[in-house]
Amino acid sequence: MNIRTPQDWELPESAVTAESLYQLRPRRDFLRTLGIGLAGAALSSRHLLGATGGFPSLENPAYPASALKPTPYEFITSYNNFYEFGTDKADPKMYANRGWKSEPWTLELAGLVRAPAKFDVNDLIKQLGGIEQRVYRHRCVEAWSMVVPWDGFPLAKLVALADPKPEAKFLKFTTLLDRVSMPGQKDNIIEWPYVEGLRLDEANHELAFIATGIYGKAIPNQNGAPLRLVVPWKYGFKGIKSIVKIEFTAKAPRNTWNLMAPDEYGFYANVNPNVDHPRWSQASERVIGGKGFAGSRQRTLMFNGYEAQVAGLYKGLDLAKYY
Amino acid sequence: MPFLEKLLRVKWFVLAVIALPGLWPAWPLWQQNPSVLADPLKFILHHFGFWACVWLAVVLTFTPLRVLFPKSGLALALNRHRRLVGVSAFVYAALHFATHLVYEGGFAILASDIKKPFLLTGLIAFTILLVLAITSLHAAVRWLGGKRWKNLHRLAYVAAALAAYHQAAARKIFPVQVLLIFGPLVALELMRVVRLAGRQSASRPVAAPTRE
């Protein structure tokens, strides 16, 4: 029998945020954005339910949508870096929705763990006890930012499920490799598949999150369906999309962008306004969907505004050297 | 291609070809394309920069085309528009630079720009184009004199090299468009060099055989 002790931040089902309260955009805009027309009936059930394991998505009161101003859904889902589907910002939305399937999906937990396993995504979420909503800042290394209301689960829950051995110190994440259905992978612009890494203590931090949805809907393909890493205090490229494998390792894994240009992208990739990218400043950022035509620019915050929560992970670490 | 030659004599046609790309951003903005509206100024910024590079690369092919194909009427027709196309490259670069200032929130960004090779190269290329645009006026040509003017305007090649680097460094991954824009120019210049070297060796007296 599976007995679960509720976390102190978990709310009773009666406190579930009604979908109507989430209507920052009218629902028909969602459907139009997703390109749901005549084939909508078949698609919408997946988009409304998605990888929830049948659980309702509860807002985590520690990260309420009201605390930050979420970026409109259509921008979050139309302005993407997902080179597996092309390098232009508009490419992923176009090419990830031409028959590419994020269901059924299997996630493999492997490496230095006591419980290596393969999970169907929906079974996994059932086993983890459902999903929750959290709104996070999102800062791209290209100096733009969004605010995203994610749905998903803490990465720490997955780590606990894998039950790492004492020698496991790092996690290595891998994206799906499928040169046929992911057209971007036909060009060897980067080494495929995309890989990312975290320290085990970073992965166990309460903020580290696996997203399965956005705005209470299943995460769109272009945003990394069905499982996408979200590490809000790091640059967006750490947020590896469409994960098929998480391997626990003793040594630090290399990550794709670090392999590409080690002098420009490090392993940590912590958001840091004081350490510039060699080609551009990281002191400020453009706000996606900002005010008016000229948009707006804001100062970038240390650890993307999560300094109080995560600075302790990097005590004594030279952040200019370990960027 | 007499038809194209004739068309190239029509000034408003040439002007339209040059000006139309400047109006193009209006289309996706009017279409409310969310991928563009997410950060419309960035779209405009990249667009003007792209066309500044195109016109700069295009105008520099005119001279090698005339030298390599002296009998081609098309090469001659193109060379009549050297100044117009060159000044257009400057105008697009100026629009790009102005957008950069708005995008970054004012002139304060220049202090940070000069520290980054990516931005400094763009800034120098733009400065060169500014000087060349000013000295393209008849009065400036007279004032400088033909030879000095020609030497000064060879800086356009420096601007092109800097612009190519600047454009390549703007993206996380090397953008192939840089090769498409500047590749033909490099190929034509290489052909010119090869022909020049061939002519020089042909006119040189045959060297006496060396003894080993």
PDB file of all heavy atoms in Angstrom, chain B residues 2 14 28 36 72 86 115 165 181 194 204-205:
ATOM      1  N   PRO B   2      19.951  41.644 -72.114  1.00  0.00           N
ATOM      2  CA  PRO B   2      19.670  43.060 -72.398  1.00  0.00           C
ATOM      3  C   PRO B   2      18.479  43.593 -71.603  1.00  0.00           C
ATOM      4  O   PRO B   2      18.444  44.770 -71.262  1.00  0.00           O
ATOM      5  CB  PRO B   2      19.386  43.078 -73.909  1.00  0.00           C
ATOM      6  CG  PRO B   2      19.211  41.658 -74.320  1.00  0.00           C
ATOM      7  CD  PRO B   2      19.778  40.778 -73.278  1.00  0.00           C
ATOM      8  N   VAL B  14      15.663  50.413 -59.488  1.00  0.00           N
ATOM      9  CA  VAL B  14      16.794  50.119 -58.599  1.00  0.00           C
ATOM     10  C   VAL B  14      16.485  50.592 -57.185  1.00  0.00           C
ATOM     11  O   VAL B  14      16.725  49.878 -56.204  1.00  0.00           O
ATOM     12  CB  VAL B  14      18.076  50.791 -59.135  1.00  0.00           C
ATOM     13  CG1 VAL B  14      19.250  50.520 -58.216  1.00  0.00           C
ATOM     14  CG2 VAL B  14      18.384  50.297 -60.539  1.00  0.00           C
ATOM     15  N   PRO B  28       5.224  40.890 -41.118  1.00  0.00           N
ATOM     16  CA  PRO B  28       4.951  40.002 -39.977  1.00  0.00           C
ATOM     17  C   PRO B  28       4.399  40.755 -38.766  1.00  0.00           C
ATOM     18  O   PRO B  28       3.645  40.190 -37.977  1.00  0.00           O
ATOM     19  CB  PRO B  28       6.307  39.363 -39.662  1.00  0.00           C
ATOM     20  CG  PRO B  28       7.313  40.145 -40.389  1.00  0.00           C
ATOM     21  CD  PRO B  28       6.638  40.832 -41.520  1.00  0.00           C
ATOM     22  N   VAL B  36       7.422  37.081 -33.771  1.00  0.00           N
ATOM     23  CA  VAL B  36       8.042  38.381 -34.015  1.00  0.00           C
ATOM     24  C   VAL B  36       7.624  39.378 -32.936  1.00  0.00           C
ATOM     25  O   VAL B  36       8.434  40.145 -32.422  1.00  0.00           O
ATOM     26  CB  VAL B  36       7.660  38.892 -35.419  1.00  0.00           C
ATOM     27  CG1 VAL B  36       8.097  40.330 -35.614  1.00  0.00           C
ATOM     28  CG2 VAL B  36       8.276  38.008 -36.486  1.00  0.00           C
ATOM     29  N   SER B  72      30.859  42.576 -70.421  1.00  0.00           N
ATOM     30  CA  SER B  72      29.479  42.353 -69.974  1.00  0.00           C
ATOM     31  C   SER B  72      28.745  43.680 -69.772  1.00  0.00           C
ATOM     32  O   SER B  72      29.189  44.542 -69.009  1.00  0.00           O
ATOM     33  CB  SER B  72      29.484  41.552 -68.672  1.00  0.00           C
ATOM     34  OG  SER B  72      28.281  41.780 -67.978  1.00  0.00           O
ATOM     35  N   GLY B  86      26.086  51.638 -52.418  1.00  0.00           N
ATOM     36  CA  GLY B  86      26.988  51.851 -51.282  1.00  0.00           C
ATOM     37  C   GLY B  86      26.336  52.700 -50.201  1.00  0.00           C
ATOM     38  O   GLY B  86      26.388  52.374 -49.015  1.00  0.00           O
ATOM     39  N   LYS B 115      33.865  47.190 -25.479  1.00  0.00           N
ATOM     40  CA  LYS B 115      34.628  46.149 -24.787  1.00  0.00           C
ATOM     41  C   LYS B 115      34.421  44.773 -25.396  1.00  0.00           C
ATOM     42  O   LYS B 115      35.098  43.821 -25.036  1.00  0.00           O
ATOM     43  CB  LYS B 115      34.222  46.110 -23.310  1.00  0.00           C
ATOM     44  CG  LYS B 115      34.708  47.311 -22.526  1.00  0.00           C
ATOM     45  CD  LYS B 115      34.305  47.170 -21.062  1.00  0.00           C
ATOM     46  CE  LYS B 115      33.954  48.509 -20.473  1.00  0.00           C
ATOM     47  NZ  LYS B 115      32.903  48.404 -19.452  1.00  0.00           N
ATOM     48  N   TYR B 165      32.363  39.365 -39.717  1.00  0.00           N
ATOM     49  CA  TYR B 165      32.632  38.835 -38.377  1.00  0.00           C
ATOM     50  C   TYR B 165      31.475  39.178 -37.429  1.00  0.00           C
ATOM     51  O   TYR B 165      30.986  38.325 -36.682  1.00  0.00           O
ATOM     52  CB  TYR B 165      33.943  39.404 -37.819  1.00  0.00           C
ATOM     53  CG  TYR B 165      34.123  39.055 -36.350  1.00  0.00           C
ATOM     54  CD1 TYR B 165      34.644  37.824 -35.967  1.00  0.00           C
ATOM     55  CD2 TYR B 165      33.710  39.939 -35.349  1.00  0.00           C
ATOM     56  CE1 TYR B 165      34.748  37.479 -34.630  1.00  0.00           C
ATOM     57  CE2 TYR B 165      33.819  39.608 -34.010  1.00  0.00           C
ATOM     58  CZ  TYR B 165      34.338  38.379 -33.656  1.00  0.00           C
ATOM     59  OH  TYR B 165      34.422  38.044 -32.334  1.00  0.00           O
ATOM     60  N   ILE B 181      26.131  35.540 -48.097  1.00  0.00           N
ATOM     61  CA  ILE B 181      26.216  36.970 -48.386  1.00  0.00           C
ATOM     62  C   ILE B 181      27.623  37.356 -48.857  1.00  0.00           C
ATOM     63  O   ILE B 181      27.786  38.043 -49.859  1.00  0.00           O
ATOM     64  CB  ILE B 181      25.814  37.790 -47.138  1.00  0.00           C
ATOM     65  CG1 ILE B 181      24.323  37.580 -46.836  1.00  0.00           C
ATOM     66  CG2 ILE B 181      26.115  39.272 -47.341  1.00  0.00           C
ATOM     67  CD1 ILE B 181      23.860  38.191 -45.534  1.00  0.00           C
ATOM     68  N   VAL B 194      43.843  35.731 -58.870  1.00  0.00           N
ATOM     69  CA  VAL B 194      44.426  34.662 -59.695  1.00  0.00           C
ATOM     70  C   VAL B 194      44.740  35.202 -61.089  1.00  0.00           C
ATOM     71  O   VAL B 194      45.821  34.984 -61.626  1.00  0.00           O
ATOM     72  CB  VAL B 194      43.458  33.458 -59.777  1.00  0.00           C
ATOM     73  CG1 VAL B 194      43.903  32.482 -60.863  1.00  0.00           C
ATOM     74  CG2 VAL B 194      43.385  32.747 -58.431  1.00  0.00           C
ATOM     75  N   ARG B 204      56.382  38.564 -67.044  1.00  0.00           N
ATOM     76  CA  ARG B 204      57.739  38.513 -66.500  1.00  0.00           C
ATOM     77  C   ARG B 204      58.636  37.670 -67.418  1.00  0.00           C
ATOM     78  O   ARG B 204      58.190  36.639 -67.928  1.00  0.00           O
ATOM     79  CB  ARG B 204      57.687  37.880 -65.098  1.00  0.00           C
ATOM     80  CG  ARG B 204      58.816  38.370 -64.188  1.00  0.00           C
ATOM     81  CD  ARG B 204      58.669  37.750 -62.811  1.00  0.00           C
ATOM     82  NE  ARG B 204      57.434  38.159 -62.144  1.00  0.00           N
ATOM     83  CZ  ARG B 204      56.750  37.389 -61.300  1.00  0.00           C
ATOM     84  NH1 ARG B 204      57.145  36.163 -61.042  1.00  0.00           N
ATOM     85  NH2 ARG B 204      55.676  37.838 -60.730  1.00  0.00           N
ATOM     86  N   PRO B 205      59.907  38.066 -67.652  1.00  0.00           N
ATOM     87  CA  PRO B 205      60.791  37.231 -68.480  1.00  0.00           C
ATOM     88  C   PRO B 205      61.057  35.898 -67.793  1.00  0.00           C
ATOM     89  O   PRO B 205      61.080  35.819 -66.566  1.00  0.00           O
ATOM     90  CB  PRO B 205      62.074  38.064 -68.577  1.00  0.00           C
ATOM     91  CG  PRO B 205      62.013  39.042 -67.450  1.00  0.00           C
ATOM     92  CD  PRO B 205      60.569  39.286 -67.184  1.00  0.00           C
TER      93      PRO B 205
END
